[in-house]
Amino acid sequence: FSNENNLSEESNNSNSATQPEEIGVIKNNTNDSTVEVLAKIDPSGQDQVIKKNNENSTNNETTIYVNEAKPQEVYQRAYNLLSKGEYAAAETAFKSFIKKFPENSLSSNAYYWLGETFYVRQNYQLAAYNFANGYKNFPKGAKAADQLLKLGISLHALKKNSEACTTFSKLSQEFSELPQRIEKRAQTYSNKLECAISVD
C-alpha cells in the first residue's frame, strides 16, 4: 500500500447514521493529503477526535473518520503509527480497524500488528492473546504463519514453554512451506526450548 497519501475521493460522501469512530489522522484541506499523524490517542483504547490546533491558523483543522475512508487507507494510517514507534496510538488504530472491518482480509495483518504493539512493549500476555486471535480468525490469512511464530515466542516469554513448543509444532504442521525467516526462528526457539517435536 504505497498510495498512503492518496485519500479517498469518497471521503466526504459518507453520511452514516451511526456515530463514527475517529482515528488520529490529520487531513490538510488544501491538497487533500495526509500531512501529520498525532500520537495523542487515548492509550486506554478509547477512540477520540484528534485535531491539529494552531493558535494563528485554523484552516488545517479537520478530522478524518474511519467510516469515511477505504479499509486499506485506514490500515495504512495505523501501520504508519506503528512504523513511527507510536505504539499506544497504533494499538488504538488497529483495534478501531478490526472493529470496523472485522471480515476484511487486512484484519489478519491488523491482528498481527496489534499483537506487535504489545510485544514491543513487553506485554506478552496481550501480545499472545492478539496473535492467537488473529490466527483463529484468519487461519489462512496473510499473517497466519507469522502469528503462530510470534504466539510461540510470546508464550516462551511468559515461561509457558510447553504451550510454546505446541505452537511451534502446529506451525510446522499447518504450513509445509514456510518462509525461511519464519522457519529459522521457529527452529531456533524449538532447539532452545528442547521441544520434543522439532520444526522440520
Side-chain angles (χ1 to χ4, degrees), residues 146-164:
D146 294 89
Q147 283 160 340
L148 280 180
L149 173 68
K150 290 308 284 278
L151 172 58
I153 295 172
S154 298
L155 288 168
H156 166 58
L158 291 167
K159 302 192 185 310
K160 296 177 184 274
N161 293 342
S162 175
E163 292 89 340

Side-chain angles (χ1 to χ4, degrees), residues 164-165 168-169 184-199:
C165 283
F168 293 131
S169 176
K184 280 187 172 181
R185 288 191 76 188
Q187 185 67 60
T188 298
Y189 276 93
S190 292
N191 292 343
K192 182 178 181 180
L193 295 172
E194 298 181 346
C195 295
I197 303 174
S198 64
V199 177

Side-chain angles (χ1 to χ4, degrees), residues 22-27 34-43 48-54 60-64 77-78 80-82 84-93:
E22 297 95 6
I23 193 167
V25 177
I26 305 306
K27 194 173 74 172
T34 302
V35 294
E36 186 177 1
V37 181
L38 301 184
K40 295 176 68 176
I41 295 178
D42 188 348
Q48 63 181 17
V49 180
I50 303 296
K51 292 183 177 180
K52 181 177 181 182
N53 295 312
N54 290 336
N60 285 339
E61 186 175 306
T62 185
T63 304
I64 189 158
R77 292 181 195 120
N80 289 347
L81 287 167
L82 179 67
K84 290 181 178 182
E86 297 170 2
Y87 302 122
E91 173 196 337
T92 301

